[in-house]
Amino acid sequence: MPASVVAGNWKMNTTVSEAVALAAGVKDGASSAGNVELVLCPPFVSLTAVRDAVQGSAVKVGAQNMYHQDSGAFTGEVSPGMLQGLCEYVIIGHSERRQLFCETDESVNDKIKAAQAAGLKPILCVGESLEEREAGKAMDVNSGQVRAGLDGVTDASGLIVAYEPVWAIGTGQAATPGIAAEVMGGAIYEALRGIFASAADQVPLLYGGSMNAGNAGDFAAQDCIHGGLVGGAALQADQFLQVAAAVAAAKA
Ligand code: PEP
């Protein structure tokens, strides 16, 4: 059974001082999350401060993105090497990056490889749009994004895959646990098995999309769901900790 993980994607929210306060709140209550690995993903400018704020606890830090090149004339970008020492995880291929910043399966694949080469643990995000779901393409879209994002990747250690149906992100309309389990235990797991064989069994699969304290336990009660990638509910320490506690209880 993979580790249970609850990661908070703070997106473009929090000033540095707000980020420190939020991280301190999570650190203070982290024991309520049991064995669940807690990962905080603040904006780049707060990584150092959040790393320092959670020091001495089991709370981990992640970035929300990175570029795949080591250095050079890439104005505004952040390299894998720059993240080393600041965070352990990095979210790759979030649907907002795919939709708003033109990220493709190819660029996602470059980033996954570069993250692993730098010793960072990538959280690969996949998920279908509403149009794709209504057209009956959800399974194909998700398995395709997993296969393309991991093309040429041979090491599953440290990898996490998050299923985030685009229609459920930030809408308050979470998927049902049944829908999530169909995609995660079906298309996503099968694609991972095809790439990594039995090592796929150790890859944590997170659900993301309007997850909150009220529904997290139902998602985590599914065998194929090992935690969550949480947006809105991660911006309040108590709500984030309640999500993690619900996951911990479901997995106990
Ligand atoms: C996300 O952005 O990864 C996310 C899941 O957001 P929310 O929980 O707000 O839907």
Side-chain angles (χ1 to χ4, degrees), residues 60-188:
K60 301 293 196 295
V61 181
Q64 298 174 18
N65 180 35
M66 51 160 239
Y67 196 51
H68 68 280
Q69 297 281 0
D70 288 339
S71 63
F74 305 106
T75 302
E77 293 296 323
V78 171
S79 75
M82 293 172 188
L83 295 178
Q84 285 172 328
L86 297 184
C87 60
E88 201 170 302
Y89 291 87
V90 57
I91 297 172
I92 302 286
H94 191 281
S95 63
E96 288 154 15
R97 304 252 9 128
R98 294 179 192 254
Q99 287 184 319
L100 303 174
F101 301 99
C102 305
E103 292 201 6
T104 62
D105 282 333
E106 290 69 34
S107 62
V108 167
N109 181 240
D110 287 340
K111 291 180 181 200
I112 295 279
K113 289 175 178 165
Q116 287 195 327
L120 298 165
K121 296 175 178 173
I123 303 174
L124 168 63
C125 297
V126 300
E128 81 284 358
S129 67
L130 185 59
E131 295 70 34
E132 289 165 337
R133 170 155 290 274
E134 288 177 345
K137 295 179 182 164
M139 301 296 264
D140 286 347
V141 167
N142 282 284
S143 58
Q145 288 182 0
V146 170
R147 280 198 294 267
L150 297 175
D151 186 36
V153 175
T154 54
D155 185 5
S157 59
L159 176 69
I160 294 177
V161 177
Y163 168 55
E164 298 207 308
V166 177
W167 45 272
I169 295 180
T171 60
Q173 301 287 322
T176 64
I179 287 176
E182 183 184 29
V183 174
M184 297 167 76
I188 292 176

Side-chain angles (χ1 to χ4, degrees), residues 9 11 94 96 164 168-170 208-211 229-232:
N9 174 16
K11 311 195 189 196
H94 191 281
E96 288 154 15
E164 298 207 308
I169 295 180
S210 300
M211 188 181 247
L229 179 55
V230 185

Side-chain angles (χ1 to χ4, degrees), residues 7-58:
N9 174 16
W10 297 359
K11 311 195 189 196
M12 198 174 72
N13 295 295
T14 66
T15 61
V16 175
S17 58
E18 288 166 348
V20 168
L22 179 50
V26 172
K27 178 186 175 184
D28 286 348
S31 59
S32 63
N35 288 333
V36 173
E37 172 117 312
L38 299 177
V39 185
L40 307 182
C41 303
F44 284 129
V45 295
S46 295
L47 280 172
T48 305
V50 167
R51 176 202 61 186
D52 293 347
V54 300
Q55 214 160 30
S57 76

